[in-house]
Amino acid sequence: MELSHKTRLGDFKSINPAKFKFFVNGRKGLTGEETLALGSYNALLQTSLPPEFQYYKADAETFESSHDVFRMAFPRGFAWEVLRVYSGPPAIAFKYRHWGYMEGPYKGHAPTGELVEFTGVAVLKVDEQLRAEEVEIYYDPGELFAGLLKGEVISGVDSVDTTASKLQPCPFLKADP
């Protein structure tokens, strides 16, 4: 959550900034600063696929644009749920599910209203204060894109404007009249 909502590594409470490393699917580890600069979605969705096969181009997205893309597709959120914990500290292994309902467009694909989800496993190495020092995430990004690309292609649209002003507001917050 902090990677998505805080902009200064020094404000994080859940990680040890001096030792933090973030690994995804066995790729090279990223420092906290690198992960924060890229944005959590971009860090999770980096790929070595040739550009013509990439459904999401992490290199072309910024921290802000990456969040706009997924907030647009999942206006009610994209929850991260721990399904099972296999071991306790200092090396916590667990299975998780990331899920939400695609109620907005994704890069030229119409919303389906359907559940989009994927599962994975992770290992979290923590210090004595239970702050993360290493996070290893393993999952199949194809499971995410299978749901996102299921919607019909919106004709005449190469991509979707995902600027914050176009996002659907939270239905529980009232706008000032």
Side-chain angles (χ1 to χ4, degrees), residues 31-108:
T31 66
E33 289 294 344
E34 290 170 327
T35 306
L36 186 59
L38 277 174
S40 55
Y41 289 113
N42 291 336
L44 286 164
L45 294 171
Q46 288 182 327
T47 181
S48 57
L49 284 171
E52 64 270 20
F53 297 116
Q54 294 179 17
Y55 301 115
Y56 179 87
K57 295 178 175 31
D59 296 347
E61 299 289 346
T62 64
F63 177 98
E64 293 82 10
S65 71
S66 68
H67 280 78
D68 288 346
V69 165
F70 289 99
R71 284 186 189 123
M72 175 72 84
F74 301 106
R76 289 194 289 161
F78 196 50
W80 185 286
E81 176 183 10
V82 174
L83 299 174
R84 184 162 184 189
V85 177
Y86 299 106
S87 63
I92 305 164
F94 60 95
K95 179 179 179 181
Y96 67 90
R97 174 173 85 127
H98 209 2
W99 62 276
Y101 290 91
M102 187 188 176
E103 296 170 328
Y106 172 78
K107 294 194 173 273

Side-chain angles (χ1 to χ4, degrees), residues 84-131:
R84 184 162 184 189
V85 177
Y86 299 106
S87 63
I92 305 164
F94 60 95
K95 179 179 179 181
Y96 67 90
R97 174 173 85 127
H98 209 2
W99 62 276
Y101 290 91
M102 187 188 176
E103 296 170 328
Y106 172 78
K107 294 194 173 273
H109 290 267
T112 63
E114 294 180 10
L115 176 67
V116 174
E117 66 181 327
F118 65 88
T119 58
V121 294
V123 178
L124 181 68
K125 294 179 184 168
V126 298
D127 64 15
E128 308 78 39
Q129 298 172 336
L130 299 180
R131 297 178 305 167

